Amino acid sequence: MAKCDTPHSLFLQVAIAVPLDRLFDYLAPDNCDATTLQPGVRVLVPFGKSHKIGILLAINEHSEFDKQRLKQVEQILDNEPLLSTADLKLLQWASHYYHHPLGEVLACAFPVALRQGKPAVLEHALSYSLTALGRETQPEMLKRAPKQLKLMSLFHAQSEALSQTDLLEHKSALKLLLQKAMVEEHKTPTATKNIIRGSLLEANNEQKQAISAISANLGRFSVSLLEGVTGSGKTEVYMQVITTALIKGLQILVLLPEISLTPQLEQRFRKRFSVPIVTFHSKLTDKQRLNAWLSMQQGHASIMLGTRSALFTPLHKPGLIILDEEHDTSFKQQEGFRFSARDVAIIRAKHLSIPVVLGSATPSLESLFNVDQKRYQLLTLANRAGNALAPEFRVLDIRNKKMHSGLSDPLINEIHATLAQGQQVLLFLNRRGFAPVQICHQCGGISRCQRCDANLVIHVQENVLRCHHCYSEQQLTKQCKACKTGELQALGLGTERIEHILTSLFAGKKLVRLDKDTTQRKGSLESYLEQINRGEVDIILGTQMLAKGHHFPNVTLVAILDIDSGLFSIDFRAGEKLAQMIVQVAGRAGRADKPGKVILQTRQPQHPLLMTLLKQGYRAFAQAVLQERHQASLPPFSYQALFRVHATNQEAPLAFLTALCRLLKQNNDGKIQILGPVAAPMLKRAGQFRFQLLLQSSKRQDLHSLLDTILPGIPKLKEAKGVRWTLDVDPVDLY
Ligand code: ADP
Ligand code: ZN
């Protein structure tokens, strides 16, 4: 290879994951012909006193830096680019739009293993099938080994061999079954003859329309909003469109809010398709994520199911992006590079000329607005698929009613009646722990977190008081530490407390509580869901985790225990979120042929927002709220960007925001509203005092040009020292 130290040296422009809004130039290594290098490969570079992994972005003939001081790249880590030109373009767009350093944005596109410089080598694609011994093995023989049993039943359910990617999550069980010679390994992947494993359902008319409208757009950019009530067959629409894309040899990216909360969806996909499917989410190991990422990049896998971090996975043959539950705020990353996976997915699809499908029973107001603006095509599934009936709502006025730890008598009677018919009940309360407040009966003192402006939450089972914001905890005691005499009491309700009362009210009934505290252990959620679906559970109690796409066909009564706290939030999006939550939770009821009933306990039975939602439905509700937002010039009728800043004292953040405000006003031609500085709704959190400044504009472009103008000036402000600030473009919550 030619040496690079010719007079016409080339300069390698590299992005490095550091919080600096700039790129770095390096010289090529000695043994390399820089003209053969391609953007998108990883490079190992000296950086300060250490080394870093960077991404090569360009090979330039000029450098704005002093040539003599430039260092050499130490190593080129990849032979082929890991990111395509289109991928790089998207990430550059995102860096610019979110005003976030490109190096950090690029890092988000890679799995950890590649960020650390591990080789981009896909584990060989092996496949596995049962041996004669395995086929003869009776399930009883594996009763003591549930993981192996589960894997065996997976093999039994399929006639074809399973690929390595199918089995990513069964590695340990697979190893044991291989040792026992119940399963054998094939070195060459057994080519899948079919795309589809299970049989297609006969789509109903609405589904047919949606399927053909989306399929017709394969190969060009379009955004479809698939609005379908829970159980209307959206997933079936996705799967049929995916089938068409697969026949064309295309890959499909399916993004979900929290995939580990919806193991059922993955199972449905695996049952339907025989092409390799990979998952990508935070519960996987680094190695699993590396393999999943590479198998999409190299075209070995056809479908990826992932969370927002899967959005940037390079696709060998991009065909379609689906975002299910598009209204879910977990599509917005809330720290570091604060991107919206929904919004960036649309830009990505535009760059790639492929369709995007946004699906939801309760579309975000942003998406409905985009439908009104004719930017998205609306596809509606108004009826439940099959024979399932829509649930019936009932508002239960609990003013002045006797309550038993949050349950009114009429509700208790309804629960009894439902259980007597052998059906399941689902109770929803969006608060974990035993009680949100601990109060002293003597002095009235409340147990507060030392580090946050928050009360400590009582967790009786774990015997701790815990802060839900900074996770600091202390042992639960009976006696007040302040007055030294008073007895401490629990105030308010959490799921743990409801569990307590339910156990005594409905003795002998099997209850499962699903919240963050009971589903920590890997696989525990799955095992609870299986128990529920086998009909072994009578009462399901849980938090918002229940609102996420689960199917509980035997649930015929849903009760939302407390909606009042959601009606009086200062967040302008609170109403939208509450309505989505009510409709989503309600959607769990009566999915099969049994009609469902939804009871809402409230002290605000006449609340206009609630009335519109229950009497006229989510769409009417959304239109009413959009009207309000229009009048108040709130998003989606305006665009926002939020500066957040924190420090260990109150003065520095305020001084910083005041200086920032001055800088903004000097450059603002009156088109941007500057609101603040104000204290964050929760001023102190984890020992940090937090303040914010909100920018709002009726034109996106105006907002971004002001930001472009002033951002380079911020590090030069003397008030910027000692504070940590961040910028959130299109913030979804103001906390
Ligand atoms: P969603 O994703 O909108 O909640 P699903 O696709 O999960 O809805 O469908 C809900 C239920 O209805 C599932 O059990 C599914 O198998 C069934 N289903 C969907 N489409 C049809 C159809 N065309 N005919 C019969 N059953 C269907
Ligand atoms: Zn705290």
Side-chain angles (χ1 to χ4, degrees):
M1 274 191 216
K3 290 216 167 198
C4 296
D5 51 351
T6 57
H8 308 287
S9 300
L10 292 174
F11 302 96
L12 307 189
Q13 191 179 47
V14 175
I16 299 171
V18 287
L20 296 172
D21 198 11
R22 52 162 291 194
L23 300 170
F24 300 86
D25 279 0
Y26 285 89
L27 302 170
D30 281 340
N31 56 355
C32 135
D33 177 0
T35 57
T36 64
L37 291 175
Q38 286 174 275
V41 298
R42 291 172 304 153
V43 293
L44 180 70
V45 295
F47 191 85
K49 292 203 175 82
S50 66
H51 315 267
K52 287 209 182 288
I53 309 285
I55 309 296
L56 178 63
L57 288 180
I59 300 104
N60 297 327
E61 297 197 348
H62 304 282
S63 170
E64 47 181 291
F65 302 101
D66 177 5
K67 240 188 265 180
Q68 307 307 318
R69 299 183 55 192
L70 290 185
K71 294 182 184 161
Q72 271 182 319
V73 164
E74 282 170 20
Q75 206 184 337
I76 309 285
L77 296 175
D78 304 302
N79 294 326
E80 297 289 326
L82 293 179
L83 297 178
S84 67
T85 324
D87 295 331
L88 289 171
K89 195 175 134 205
L90 176 74
L91 292 158
Q92 272 159 339
W93 175 88
S95 159
H96 186 234
Y97 181 78
Y98 290 102
H99 304 275
H100 198 82
L102 181 57
E104 291 191 347
V105 170
L106 281 164
C108 277
F110 289 98
V112 173
L114 293 179
R115 266 182 251 164
Q116 293 168 340
K118 303 252 163 63
V121 181
L122 182 63
E123 273 181 7
H124 209 72
L126 301 168
S127 65
Y128 302 88
S129 62
L130 290 179
T131 59
L133 175 66
R135 280 192 295 271
E136 283 158 17
T137 304
Q138 298 297 320
E140 288 80 63
M141 291 173 63
L142 292 171
K143 235 171 45 195
R144 299 257 176 85
K147 283 187 180 161
Q148 293 173 50
L149 183 62
K150 200 168 160 196
L151 179 54
M152 279 298 264
S153 44
L154 195 65
F155 274 113
H156 278 299
Q158 250 101 65
S159 53
E160 300 187 40
L162 291 170
S163 73
Q164 204 168 21
T165 44
D166 281 331
L167 299 173
L168 276 178
E169 279 146 62
H170 299 275
K171 266 194 173 163
S172 58
L174 179 64
K175 206 165 150 194
L176 292 168
L177 291 182
L178 283 165
Q179 278 168 10
K180 293 181 184 167
M182 293 181 184
V183 167
E184 60 189 344
E185 186 174 279
H186 311 276
K187 284 270 183 307
T188 44
T190 48
T192 36
K193 299 172 285 287
N194 307 315
I195 283 171
I196 292 190
R197 208 169 253 158
S199 53
L200 290 177
L201 293 173
E202 166 78 21
N204 62 33
N205 280 340
E206 286 182 325
Q207 284 174 321
K208 274 187 190 143
Q209 272 183 20
I211 294 162
S212 61
I214 303 164
S215 306
N217 284 331
L218 287 171
R220 61 168 178 261
F221 171 64
S222 73
V223 187
S224 308
L225 177 66
L226 180 62
E227 182 184 28
V229 296
T230 326
S232 60
K234 292 186 294 297
T235 311
E236 187 59 34
V237 169
Y238 303 152
M239 292 198 293
Q240 299 207 19
V241 178
I242 288 173
T243 309
T244 311
L246 289 172
I247 292 169
K248 294 183 185 241
L250 300 171
Q251 290 175 304
I252 299 95
L253 188 58
V254 183
L255 300 180
L256 307 156
E258 277 158 86
I259 192 172
S260 55
L261 295 183
T262 50
Q264 290 163 330
L265 189 94
E266 185 187 341
Q267 283 164 23
R268 270 176 86 183
F269 269 68
R270 291 199 190 282
K271 259 197 199 135
R272 173 67 59 89
F273 299 109
S274 49
V275 297
I277 298 174
V278 291
T279 58
F280 193 92
H281 53 87
S282 60
K283 295 270 164 67
L284 300 178
T285 64
D286 289 351
K287 187 78 165 283
Q288 287 170 328
R289 267 178 289 172
L290 173 68
N291 282 324
W293 194 92
L294 287 173
S295 58
M296 289 303 276
Q297 194 243 357
Q298 298 175 8
H300 297 296
S302 302
I303 302 174
M304 175 178 268
L305 304 176
T307 46
R308 61 165 189 266
S309 59
L311 168 67
F312 298 105
T313 309
L315 303 173
H316 192 68
K317 292 213 74 180
L320 172 68
I321 302 176
I322 294 170
L323 227 117
D324 193 27
E325 310 291 355
E326 66 91 29
H327 62 277
D328 199 297
T329 49
S330 63
F331 282 120
K332 176 84 200 275
Q333 181 140 307
Q334 305 276 24
E335 77 247 341
F337 168 36
R338 294 173 157 79
F339 68 99
S340 153
R342 180 190 62 210
D343 299 349
V344 181
I346 289 164
I347 302 295
R348 183 169 191 200
K350 199 168 175 182
H351 287 184
L352 294 172
S353 297
I354 62 171
V356 190
V357 182
L358 307 178
S360 177
T362 52
S364 63
L365 297 190
E366 281 82 1
S367 294
L368 290 173
F369 175 68
N370 280 320
V371 168
D372 288 342
Q373 299 291 303
K374 308 263 186 295
R375 282 195 281 260
Y376 299 174
Q377 115 175 289
L378 178 68
L379 303 167
T380 313
L381 305 180
N383 301 301
R384 287 191 161 191
N387 319 318
L389 299 166
E392 164 209 336
F393 281 98
R394 199 177 129 200
V395 173
L396 199 73
D397 182 358
I398 52 169
R399 283 174 300 179
N400 258 321
K401 294 268 158 54
K402 185 170 183 314
M403 302 294 280
H404 311 265
S405 290
L407 309 179
S408 60
D409 282 321
L411 176 59
I412 292 172
N413 292 339
E414 288 279 357
I415 298 176
H416 274 301
T418 310
L419 294 177
Q421 290 174 33
Q423 291 164 358
Q424 290 172 327
V425 175
L426 184 152
L427 301 177
F428 176 88
L429 179 72
N430 211 5
R431 211 178 299 119
R432 297 183 286 125
F434 188 82
V437 180
Q438 190 186 46
I439 189 166
C440 172
H441 194 56
Q442 178 87 23
C443 71
I446 285 174
S447 307
R448 301 274 292 170
C449 176
Q450 302 284 315
R451 309 175 64 223
C452 306
D453 286 329
N455 297 331
L456 292 169
V457 179
I458 307 175
H459 288 257
V460 172
Q461 275 166 15
E462 294 170 80
N463 202 33
V464 292
L465 274 176
R466 181 179 298 139
C467 173
H468 282 193
H469 301 279
C470 70
Y471 301 103
S472 59
E473 48 181 57
Q474 42 182 276
Q475 227 194 338
L476 209 52
T477 48
K478 285 238 150 54
Q479 210 173 62
C480 177
K481 282 190 193 121
C483 69
K484 309 260 185 312
T485 51
E487 194 186 319
L488 291 167
Q489 297 186 345
L491 202 67
L493 300 168
T495 45
E496 203 188 312
R497 192 173 202 175
I498 306 281
E499 178 180 15
H500 209 74
I501 177 96
L502 288 171
T503 319
S504 65
L505 282 174
F506 303 97
K509 293 295 175 190
K510 169 92 172 140
L511 180 142
V512 158
R513 167 160 66 96
L514 293 180
D515 58 29
K516 226 157 115 191
D517 298 319
T518 61
T519 55
Q520 285 285 355
R521 214 166 24 84
K522 204 178 169 204
S524 56
L525 175 67
E526 267 137 306
S527 99
Y528 284 138
L529 292 175
E530 277 161 22
Q531 284 176 35
I532 295 168
N533 284 328
R534 281 198 302 265
E536 294 163 17
V537 174
D538 302 301
I539 303 173
I540 308 157
L541 163 70
T543 55
Q544 54 166 355
M545 199 174 267
L546 291 175
K548 307 239 172 191
H550 303 296
H551 295 207
F552 300 124
N554 282 316
V555 168
T556 55
L557 175 66
V558 169
I560 302 180
L561 299 184
D562 172 24
I563 57 164
D564 294 350
S565 43
L567 294 172
F568 301 99
S569 171
I570 49 167
D571 180 356
F572 74 88
R573 284 194 172 85
E576 176 186 358
K577 288 180 193 160
L578 178 68
Q580 288 166 344
M581 190 211 72
I582 291 174
V583 176
Q584 292 287 344
V585 176
R588 310 302 127 205
R591 297 195 42 122
D593 45 355
K594 300 169 193 129
K597 190 186 281 180
V598 182
I599 293 180
L600 295 109
Q601 292 195 139
T602 177
R603 291 179 184 83
Q604 292 282 324
Q606 308 298 341
H607 196 283
L609 197 146
L610 194 61
M611 286 299 99
T612 312
L613 177 70
L614 301 184
K615 294 222 167 86
Q616 299 169 53
Y618 180 77
R619 237 344 181 45
F621 161 86
Q623 288 308 336
V625 177
L626 272 173
Q627 198 87 68
E628 281 177 23
R629 298 249 188 112
H630 186 52
Q631 273 152 19
S633 296
L634 285 167
F637 300 91
S638 63
Y639 302 92
Q640 295 183 331
L642 182 70
F643 282 97
R644 293 190 181 87
V645 55
H646 61 83
T648 49
N649 61 56
Q650 301 209 32
E651 295 73 31
L654 261 178
F656 169 74
L657 288 182
T658 310
L660 176 60
C661 210
R662 211 177 308 127
L663 180 65
L664 284 160
K665 283 183 178 150
Q666 279 159 10
N667 292 280
N668 183 15
D669 47 11
K671 288 181 182 154
I672 316 296
Q673 271 179 282
I674 302 170
L675 306 159
V678 293
M682 182 190 275
L683 172 62
K684 192 171 141 205
R685 182 170 179 166
Q688 298 280 327
F689 292 92
R690 304 145 73 237
F691 290 83
Q692 54 197 35
L693 185 69
L694 183 68
L695 309 188
Q696 187 171 297
S697 163
S698 59
K699 288 214 179 67
R700 205 193 285 273
Q701 190 48 48
D702 293 341
L703 178 63
H704 284 264
S705 37
L706 178 61
L707 288 171
D708 282 332
T709 312
I710 65 106
L711 281 168
I714 295 183
K716 294 177 201 139
L717 296 174
K718 68 175 191 311
E719 293 86 351
K721 300 212 166 49
V723 299
R724 294 282 304 267
W725 65 272
T726 58
L727 173 62
D728 191 351
V729 174
D730 306 328
V732 292
D733 72 47
L734 304 181
Y735 284 75

